[in-house]
Amino acid sequence: MKGFKALAISLGLPLLSISLSMAEDCARPVELYNRGTLSSDWSEKERLFKEALALPCKNREILAKIHNNLADTYEQAERLEEAIAEYRKATGLDADLPTPYISLGDVYSRRGDLKSAGQSYEKYWQRTSLKP
């Protein structure tokens, strides 16, 4: 796994910085998450993220990032209801993680729900140092 961690670090994967100091019970979910982020096959991504979520891990930040990436996989596959559900799980686990909010805004925009899109974008801007 050391070689895999080095590869993931060199690629700048967002979850790995957490994984270096995490509890041992999250090592396998993080490994699966990292493999999923490296995969170009959408069905493989989905399988790896779901497998990671099925394992014991109590770190809410890690779980939020896995749900976020599973949601992104659904969004790319035009499975928008599933994407929304996963983005909401991510925000429920880590309300400070900005990424699911901007993604929710994008999904709501695509569905024509501009009110929900605006609310999601606002939550994103509140969680980042970037201002519109």
Side-chain angles (χ1 to χ4, degrees), residues 4-128:
F4 192 82
K5 282 184 180 179
L7 172 63
I9 288 171
S10 70
L11 294 174
L13 296 176
L15 189 57
L16 198 54
S17 62
I18 294 172
S19 72
L20 297 177
S21 63
M22 69 182 174
E24 189 60 35
D25 71 331
C26 294
R28 181 73 175 140
V30 168
E31 177 188 346
L32 293 168
Y33 166 86
N34 286 335
R35 286 178 43 204
T37 60
L38 293 172
S39 177
S40 59
D41 180 285
W42 293 106
S43 61
E44 178 75 356
K45 285 178 175 290
E46 179 182 3
R47 184 187 68 74
L48 290 166
F49 296 144
K50 283 183 165 182
E51 188 177 336
L53 290 168
L55 295 171
C57 176
K58 294 179 181 155
N59 186 308
R60 295 173 66 85
E61 292 176 9
I62 290 172
L63 294 172
K65 289 182 180 181
I66 297 170
H67 279 288
N68 182 73
N69 280 45
L70 178 56
D72 184 59
T73 302
Y74 289 148
E75 183 181 353
Q76 296 298 318
E78 297 295 322
R79 295 163 59 184
L80 301 184
E81 293 304 317
E82 291 168 287
I84 289 169
E86 290 299 321
Y87 286 133
R88 287 182 179 161
K89 288 177 186 176
T91 61
L93 287 163
D94 185 357
D96 292 328
L97 182 64
T99 311
Y101 294 105
I102 197 164
S103 298
L104 272 169
D106 292 346
V107 172
Y108 287 133
S109 290
R110 287 170 60 191
R111 293 178 57 201
D113 184 350
L114 300 182
K115 180 179 178 183
S116 295
Q119 292 169 340
S120 295
Y121 289 136
E122 181 61 32
K123 289 178 183 178
Y124 168 77
W125 292 117
Q126 290 170 354
R127 285 155 179 82
T128 65

